[in-house]
Amino acid sequence: MKPMFKTLLLSLPLVACGGSGGSSKAPVSQEPNTDYSKLSQAKIEPGPLRQASANELSELIKNGLRVSLRENQSYGMMIREAAVINTTADTNKTGGNFSTTNVQVAGVDEADVVKYDGRYVYLATPVEFTETGAKASLRIFATNPTTASASHVTDIALDTEQWGDVGELYLVDGGQGTTGLATVRRSWDFIAFTDKVVNDVSSDGKPLAVDEADKARSAMIWPYQMDNGVEITLYDVRSPATPAKTWSLSIDGDLLGTRKIGNTLYVISSFVPGIPTLDYAAETKEAKIANEQLIAQTQVEKLLPEYSINGGSPQTLTGANGCMVPASTEKSDGSLTLINITAINLASQQLLESVCVNGNVEGIYSSTNNLYLGGSDYSKWDNWQSYTVLHQFALNSSGVDYAATGSVEGVLGWNSPSFRMDEHNNLLRIITTNYGETGEPEHQLSVLQKVSGRSELAVVAQLPNKNRPEAIGKPREDIFGVRFNGDKAYVVTFERKDPFYVLDLANPTDPKIAGQLEIPGFSTYLHPVGDNYVFALGNETNSDGFATYLKASLYDIRDPARPVEVSKHLLGSAYSWSSALYDHRALSFLQASSDQLRITFPVSLYEEVKFPEYTSSRWVNESLYQFEINGLSNGKVSLDLVNNLVGENNLEQEYPLWGWNDRGLLHNDAVFYVHGPKVIGAPWYPPQK
């Protein structure tokens, strides 16, 4: 099957060269126009998209290069404008009696450095730098939940000459179990340099006297970022002891995030077009003309991302024709960031389709039916005019189709923006924040619905509103945690205390605050436990708002108007840390029975060390904490600490060697602690001493 491609150029850094217009016959020796002052960098724009011709797409991209020259900003430096926080999670639906990756939406898998299929653990080790070079591998372990033990099966050495370590793993299901392992890697971030040197000279051409700081600046060389890449590789693991590489796909650009539904992988990547020989330090008329000639002579196909399969000949990922741009796009607009959504069938090893979007992406949210990209405009945050644009893409068996665009007031915010979006009953719910001149936040819930027959997501309700004016959060409180769960949403705001809000969304046209609870501390991760309880992980704080402990707690929301904290556990000290605070994949959940839910998360435990004049900290251990929520069937619930498995401690060394990618895997009455390159097995309940 020949892949199909679509290109959507959505509003974000875009620009076009101001034409002279009017005359149909150009002067014979017309000098190239190097005055880019009338060009403008496109903003995020609300409103639907329209088709663009290949010529229009070419001008939009090339004018982005012109603006970058005007601003002395190399295209490699601009790529970070499209950075995305890849976060997501929900009540984990496990297959059988073992835990899988903690995800936001049931049926939408998310990548992790560890995957488990109930028989084998697949582990991506971090890169180790040795005297012989960088080394990285995939490790496979066999588990025995009856004996609570794990044994090493084999390693797969990875090429680290161009590609970095594996940051993302997925399993491929052949219908009767795992048949393949998919890895997703970024290329190393290489920086190339031109030999251009900037000299300060006077009007007579003689060097100016400069101080040491200016000397360093005058010797500056102009960097640009070389092409990044994303590599997807498939391994046949039907015989885990002898895995074999079967297929690979490389895509130009930087990896922003992935999702998998069934065996279809959706890769979201960012590509910044560029011409490596452009002189970003051009000061003379001749140098500027040379730059313009380079831009004008470059074919648009050379400015688009490419892909290759199994190291074969590169092919264009997105075509120049059929591109979509915001309806408000002007000829003087331009952009340099292309966001691609590429659909890949892992089972049949096919690239199905690629859609290209130009825009600022801060949040990726996916239901089983639609993928949403959210981008916020912060340029007008000080006068209450900031807004967020949302693009909806329908997911189907052949790939991805653009569906609609909507916008809401406010921005997605710094903390887990993906958690601020949720689709339920064909409605998109989103929580954004406005910042006024004083920087004081105001939070808003918006409910959007696609307009029938139109490419528009319309706002059907907001909270607060004139009928329900109560604010979400007290004055100066920012949002630290959000979680949607069917007809409810839970929001944690914080400045000195932790208001825990319960929002009632049962009537989508009339959302309301059902209840709230104020307690010390704040939670960054919220996990619904059925409809009646919420597990939370965060920090306990003192009266000044400073963290004092890690905190695991359980809320009873059976009466939404009066939520209650029924259990809490304080761990370590103010210096203790858990990667699960900001990475939901570090938590694992297993419904052991109708009465019990088991939970694990890693902790870097520190203790306070007091000295006469100051207080310091000392590392204690890296461990996996085990909790249970009991009493779910009779309503007498409690959050109980069971044990903590230690991976490293200060009796062995002064500082930890591993810990940032620790995971817990639960299987029957066994727990497997993935710590660095090893897997530690143990019974769920420790033997009685």
Side-chain angles (χ1 to χ4, degrees):
M1 174 182 174
K2 184 178 180 180
M4 297 181 295
F5 303 101
K6 299 175 187 172
T7 305
L8 291 82
L9 194 59
L10 271 59
S11 49
L12 238 207
L14 264 177
V15 212
C17 185
S20 56
S23 176
S24 60
K25 183 181 294 185
V28 175
S29 300
Q30 185 178 22
E31 189 173 274
N33 178 18
T34 59
D35 178 8
Y36 303 147
S37 60
K38 294 182 180 180
L39 305 180
S40 57
Q41 198 173 61
K43 305 295 183 182
I44 297 175
E45 296 289 348
L49 308 174
R50 62 172 174 82
Q51 289 291 120
S53 67
N55 287 337
E56 185 175 7
L57 175 62
S58 176
E59 253 342 83
L60 287 169
I61 295 174
K62 289 181 178 181
N63 289 329
L65 292 170
R66 292 175 177 122
V67 168
S68 69
L69 286 171
R70 185 187 70 194
E71 304 296 330
N72 283 336
Q73 181 182 42
S74 81
Y75 65 87
M77 298 174 187
M78 295 179 70
I79 190 169
R80 301 306 169 196
E81 294 178 359
V84 67
I85 302 174
N86 180 24
T87 53
T88 35
D90 186 75
T91 302
N92 198 31
K93 306 293 185 182
T94 60
N97 51 355
F98 58 90
S99 63
T100 56
T101 302
N102 183 33
V103 299
Q104 182 175 2
V105 178
V108 181
D109 195 13
E110 299 172 29
D112 199 8
V113 293
V114 177
K115 288 291 181 177
Y116 184 49
D117 64 3
R119 297 180 62 198
Y120 296 95
V121 178
Y122 304 89
L123 164 63
T125 66
V127 169
E128 290 187 74
F129 295 94
T130 68
E131 293 181 355
T132 58
K135 296 185 181 299
S137 66
L138 300 174
R139 311 199 82 192
I140 301 178
F141 292 82
T143 62
N144 186 330
T146 303
T147 60
S149 60
S151 57
H152 177 242
V153 175
T154 192
D155 286 351
I156 305 172
L158 299 175
D159 166 31
T160 55
E161 183 176 347
Q162 178 181 358
W163 303 100
D165 56 352
V166 173
E168 302 199 354
L169 294 177
Y170 284 102
L171 299 180
V172 182
D173 190 345
Q176 301 296 320
T178 302
T179 58
L181 176 68
T183 66
V184 184
R185 295 200 285 172
R186 291 179 171 92
S187 64
W188 294 106
D189 285 337
F190 292 109
I191 299 292
F193 298 89
T194 70
D195 59 0
K196 177 68 179 179
V197 178
V198 180
N199 293 306
D200 287 324
V201 296
S202 63
S203 58
D204 60 3
K206 295 180 180 179
L208 294 171
V210 293
D211 60 23
E212 290 302 315
D214 285 338
K215 284 182 181 179
R217 183 179 62 80
S218 68
M220 189 176 165
I221 52 180
W222 295 83
Y224 66 89
Q225 190 160 6
M226 294 177 65
D227 285 344
N228 287 344
V230 181
E231 182 194 55
I232 298 95
T233 303
L234 283 171
Y235 295 89
D236 185 338
V237 294
R238 287 175 292 181
S239 298
T242 56
K245 180 178 176 179
T246 59
W247 188 77
S248 67
L249 168 71
S250 60
I251 300 173
D252 289 343
D254 191 32
L255 180 66
L256 298 181
T258 59
R259 297 293 186 270
K260 186 172 78 75
I261 300 174
N263 281 325
T264 301
L265 176 67
Y266 299 93
V267 178
I268 299 93
S269 58
S270 170
F271 178 78
V272 176
I275 303 172
T277 51
L278 281 180
D279 182 359
Y280 283 89
E283 294 179 342
T284 66
K285 178 180 179 180
E286 292 75 16
K288 292 179 180 179
I289 289 175
N291 275 341
E292 175 57 31
Q293 289 174 335
L294 269 176
I295 293 173
Q297 294 167 6
T298 300
Q299 295 179 346
V300 65
E301 288 78 12
K302 300 294 184 182
L303 300 174
L304 299 176
E306 296 180 329
Y307 76 96
S308 63
I309 295 176
N310 296 328
S313 300
Q315 302 178 59
T316 302
L317 183 64
T318 54
N321 290 301
C323 177
M324 297 185 72
V325 298
S328 57
T329 298
E330 302 284 346
K331 287 186 177 181
S332 59
D333 292 338
S335 175
L336 273 186
T337 304
L338 302 176
I339 307 299
N340 281 88
I341 306 172
T342 303
I344 304 162
N345 188 315
L346 298 176
S348 62
Q349 302 179 355
Q350 286 181 294
L351 193 160
L352 300 175
E353 185 178 30
S354 191
V355 172
C356 179
V357 179
N358 188 308
N360 180 18
V361 176
E362 291 181 308
I364 299 172
Y365 170 80
S366 180
S367 68
T368 55
N369 298 316
N370 296 292
L371 177 72
Y372 295 87
L373 300 182
S376 298
D377 182 353
Y378 290 83
S379 61
K380 301 177 181 178
W381 68 271
D382 58 345
N383 58 6
W384 300 89
Q385 295 182 24
S386 298
Y387 56 88
T388 294
V389 175
L390 301 154
H391 303 294
Q392 180 191 54
F393 299 87
L395 307 179
N396 51 60
S397 58
S398 62
V400 182
D401 287 319
Y402 168 70
T405 297
S407 62
V408 295
E409 297 176 0
V411 298
L412 282 169
W414 60 272
N415 183 28
S416 301
S418 299
F419 277 105
R420 292 188 176 212
M421 293 184 278
D422 179 78
E423 184 184 89
H424 181 66
N425 291 338
N426 297 318
L427 296 167
L428 177 67
R429 295 90 63 88
I430 181 171
I431 293 178
T432 53
T433 301
N434 264 317
Y435 295 92
E437 293 182 0
T438 62
E440 196 165 302
E442 290 191 3
H443 313 297
Q444 176 179 271
L445 167 77
S446 300
V447 181
L448 296 92
Q449 186 173 37
K450 187 179 184 302
V451 178
S452 179
R454 296 170 59 183
S455 300
E456 178 185 355
L457 291 172
V459 175
V460 298
Q462 290 182 320
L463 185 72
N465 55 57
K466 64 179 182 180
N467 295 323
R468 301 189 185 277
E470 182 182 358
I472 302 173
K474 302 296 187 292
R476 299 181 300 279
E477 290 180 346
D478 216 333
I479 288 178
F480 275 66
V482 176
R483 198 54 183 274
F484 290 90
N485 184 35
D487 290 337
K488 294 187 179 69
Y490 313 107
V491 181
V492 169
T493 61
F494 175 75
E495 187 195 27
R496 293 179 183 273
K497 289 190 174 182
D498 174 3
F500 173 82
Y501 288 89
V502 179
L503 307 186
D504 183 350
L505 311 179
N507 182 350
T509 62
D510 184 26
K512 60 185 178 182
I513 296 175
Q516 59 178 285
L517 171 68
E518 285 194 26
I519 52 177
F522 59 88
S523 302
T524 58
Y525 177 74
L526 303 171
H527 192 95
V529 182
D531 295 327
N532 296 326
Y533 307 98
V534 175
F535 169 80
L537 183 66
N539 288 101
E540 183 85 344
T541 60
N542 59 23
S543 58
D544 294 321
F546 294 105
T548 54
Y549 302 94
L550 284 175
K551 181 173 76 168
S553 53
L554 182 66
Y555 295 104
D556 183 339
I557 51 153
R558 285 177 291 183
D559 182 355
R562 297 176 180 81
V564 178
E565 184 182 57
V566 294
S567 294
K568 75 173 181 178
H569 292 265
L570 305 181
L571 309 175
S573 67
Y575 304 94
S576 295
W577 166 261
S578 174
S579 57
L581 288 170
Y582 297 101
D583 184 354
H584 62 279
R585 297 167 298 181
L587 292 107
S588 290
F589 298 85
L590 180 66
Q591 195 76 46
S593 68
S594 60
D595 192 59
Q596 184 187 89
L597 178 69
R598 294 176 179 176
I599 306 168
T600 66
F601 57 86
V603 171
S604 296
L605 196 67
Y606 285 78
E607 62 184 1
E608 286 190 354
V609 180
K610 295 185 180 294
F611 294 93
E613 297 180 354
Y614 65 94
T615 300
S616 184
S617 65
R618 178 169 55 214
W619 174 68
V620 178
N621 64 44
E622 300 293 311
S623 56
L624 185 74
Y625 272 74
Q626 303 167 225
F627 283 89
E628 293 175 347
I629 298 177
N630 292 301
L632 292 172
S633 58
N634 61 20
K636 298 179 180 179
V637 295
S638 62
L639 177 66
D640 304 313
L641 175 62
V642 176
N643 190 27
N644 67 309
L645 282 176
V646 176
E648 297 178 81
N649 61 61
N650 59 10
L651 299 179
E652 301 168 348
Q653 68 256 354
E654 188 175 0
Y655 299 105
L657 300 176
W658 312 98
W660 46 92
N661 281 330
D662 283 9
R663 299 290 186 265
L665 305 171
L666 311 178
H667 194 160
N668 293 343
D669 285 331
V671 56
F672 299 100
Y673 177 21
V674 180
H675 179 66
K678 60 186 179 180
V679 178
I680 304 168
W684 177 255
Y685 296 110
Q688 295 295 321
K689 296 182 180 179

